[in-house]
Amino acid sequence: MLSQRTIEIIKSTVPVLEIHGTAITKRFYEMLFTAHPELLNIFNHANQKQGKQQTALANAVYAAALHIDRLEAILPVVKQIAHKHRSLGVLPEHYPIVGQHLLAAIQEVLGAAATEDILQAWGEAYGVIAGAFIGVEKEMYQQAKSQEGGWADFKPFRLVRKVKESEVITSFYLIPADGGALAAHEPGQYISVKVQIPGEPHTHIRQYSLSDTADKGYYRITVKREDPAADRPGGKVSVYLHEHLEIGDVLPISAPAGDFTLDQQDSRPVVLISGGVGLTPLVSMLNTLAAKQPHRQVTFIHAAQNGQLHALKQQVEAVAAQHDDISVYWCYDKPTERDLTEKTFHKEGYIDLAWLKTVVPNRAACFYFCGPHPFMKAIYAALREWEIPTEDIHFEFFGPAGSL
């Protein structure tokens, strides 16, 4: 437990963190990787270059300071991050290293404002927060290892099938290289894939949602090839998987993780809304609903630029064709001439609340959504405007958590 004095000091730093948080976390990562370059084998280099990881950490530190007197308020965030840590292979011995460089970054960025009292209070607070992460992650590692077919750390899987789903999205089917049992997963969870790209000094780890049910004898990930754009570099791992991974190749992967999962105890209607490659966890949810809750009312809505970039369309339509309680709708914001001629979609443009009200038969439902950040902000705003209760709104960011 933290002393009242420590809590007061941490609280007093909230305004400072709001202003200087990102500068602190940027400097923290620079110092961390200089002293411990081996940790570059764990962290996502693209998120570092784009500043996403620095911003996400700054938000987490700010939230911890804001709620330091009631840390139970951030427990859901702790569990969400802990899932990612377990999936990446973060270990207890990493936490003292992080704490050392985080305090050093605070001291360097704030200068004289970082008094001895402030540094001591943050050191104490970090110890408590790190202890919470270590405890939660220990349980997660044990759960991952002890389940049937489970394992800790990374395990080699073999690619047995590779299917092009659209111009930029491909599915990869993976089975245990040792021929052993396959650990179950919840619909909506992800795995981490570790790759060693020729010529790269460090391994790269990326997390991809599992896009099918857990009873098929394989894990399927459905990956978008991230080509370079004006505002960001190309995705090293996604390009490598698309262009170089062949049938028979072996990839180390971690056991399924993540808390963006379908509540299968609920029997109310469910609405699944996705944008782009964000449909992958929702297709897993859809397939699970069709198999285990075939009479639960489901509305599946997907937004893509056009039919050429729309992945898994035929598979989703095939599931819906077999279940009267499943409805599907497609939104294209840049339909091709073929899309327009063949009328292969239901709405041109973006998903908005007025249209949602016409296709969602029952607002007393559970809503799950995933996609690019601007898409998610728009969907979240629409659902809040529709006065959907917060507890019925579920979402997941691909990459570091952002703000809606």
Side-chain angles (χ1 to χ4, degrees):
M1 297 292 291
L2 296 173
S3 70
Q4 186 59 38
R5 175 61 176 159
T6 296
I7 290 173
E8 291 172 357
I9 293 173
I10 296 295
K11 282 276 192 181
S12 74
T13 65
V14 168
V16 177
L17 292 173
E18 191 170 14
I19 298 171
H20 300 288
T22 302
I24 290 170
T25 55
K26 180 179 179 182
R27 183 60 183 138
F28 156 73
Y29 280 116
E30 291 171 352
M31 298 169 75
L32 178 69
F33 294 141
T34 298
H36 295 275
E38 72 278 5
L39 294 179
L40 286 166
N41 291 309
I42 295 177
F43 285 85
N44 185 315
H45 302 185
N47 288 335
Q48 288 289 322
K49 290 181 180 178
Q50 296 174 50
K52 293 180 179 179
Q53 193 66 59
Q54 294 89 331
T55 300
L57 178 57
N59 290 340
V61 172
Y62 175 80
L66 190 63
H67 301 288
I68 196 67
D69 54 342
R70 49 189 186 94
L71 288 175
E72 68 276 4
I74 64 170
L75 188 58
V77 177
V78 170
K79 288 184 176 179
Q80 183 183 67
I81 297 173
H83 272 286
K84 291 184 179 291
H85 284 179
R86 200 277 296 158
S87 180
L88 292 168
V90 173
L91 300 172
E93 53 263 36
H94 293 137
Y95 281 92
I97 296 171
V98 168
Q100 173 192 347
H101 293 289
L102 183 59
L103 290 176
I106 290 174
Q107 184 173 26
E108 181 176 314
V109 172
L110 298 187
T115 65
E116 184 176 340
D117 285 348
I118 286 177
L119 292 174
Q120 183 175 342
W122 263 108
E124 185 181 343
Y126 177 81
V128 170
I129 295 169
F133 274 105
I134 291 170
V136 170
E137 288 161 19
K138 180 180 179 180
E139 292 182 9
M140 290 182 175
Y141 276 109
Q142 184 59 37
Q143 290 169 359
K145 184 178 180 180
S146 62
Q147 66 175 316
E148 183 181 358
W151 70 97
D153 199 40
F154 285 80
K155 177 178 177 177
F157 273 62
R158 191 176 307 280
L159 181 68
V160 294
R161 191 180 176 200
K162 183 176 178 179
V163 179
K164 186 173 182 179
E165 307 286 6
S166 78
E167 287 189 353
V168 295
I169 295 176
T170 294
S171 287
F172 300 84
Y173 293 73
L174 301 158
I175 64 170
D178 62 5
L182 194 69
H185 67 84
E186 294 294 317
Q189 288 192 306
Y190 55 81
I191 56 174
S192 286
V193 173
K194 182 188 291 187
V195 299
Q196 180 68 67
I197 300 174
E200 290 283 329
H202 302 285
T203 57
H204 294 265
I205 301 176
R206 294 294 183 273
Q207 294 166 328
Y208 296 111
S209 296
L210 293 157
S211 61
D212 208 343
T213 54
D215 57 352
K216 299 291 183 64
Y218 56 75
Y219 288 157
R220 183 178 74 179
I221 57 174
T222 303
V223 180
K224 179 186 177 186
R225 188 186 68 242
E226 297 290 352
D227 295 317
D231 60 338
R232 57 172 171 76
K236 288 184 178 180
V237 175
S238 67
V239 170
Y240 176 82
L241 295 178
H242 275 250
E243 297 184 356
H244 300 287
L245 194 69
E246 301 296 342
I247 305 301
D249 288 348
V250 172
L251 281 177
I253 70 171
S254 64
D259 61 353
F260 177 62
T261 56
L262 177 69
D263 184 355
Q264 298 181 61
Q265 304 305 313
D266 199 332
S267 60
R268 291 180 299 159
V270 59
V271 182
L272 309 174
I273 310 174
S274 57
V277 76
L279 90 167
T280 51
L282 303 187
V283 169
S284 177
M285 293 182 187
L286 175 71
N287 291 347
T288 302
L289 286 162
K292 297 187 176 181
Q293 294 180 291
H295 300 298
R296 188 174 176 184
Q297 187 180 70
V298 181
T299 305
F300 189 98
I301 302 168
H302 180 62
Q305 288 189 23
N306 52 55
Q308 293 178 329
L309 301 178
H310 186 171
L312 303 175
K313 180 180 181 181
Q314 288 72 29
Q315 295 182 40
V316 170
E317 290 181 337
V319 171
Q322 298 174 10
H323 296 83
D324 294 337
D325 291 314
I326 297 178
S327 302
V328 298
Y329 299 94
W330 314 130
C331 297
Y332 293 169
D333 62 285
K334 296 178 182 178
T336 64
E337 288 299 322
R338 180 176 180 179
D339 295 330
L340 293 166
T341 301
E342 299 182 2
K343 298 180 179 179
T344 57
F345 60 102
H346 303 88
K347 182 183 188 300
E348 183 173 356
Y350 298 114
I351 298 172
D352 55 42
L353 180 55
W355 182 77
L356 273 178
K357 289 180 176 179
T358 67
V359 298
V360 175
N362 190 341
R363 66 180 292 277
C366 297
F367 291 78
Y368 296 81
F369 63 95
C370 187
H373 197 178
F375 166 88
M376 293 177 63
K377 291 186 72 170
I379 298 302
Y380 183 78
L383 296 181
R384 296 303 292 143
E385 183 181 346
W386 204 5
E387 298 182 347
I388 303 300
T390 303
E391 59 268 24
D392 291 333
I393 299 176
H394 311 277
F395 56 87
E396 179 172 61
F397 290 95
F398 281 0
S403 173
L404 296 185

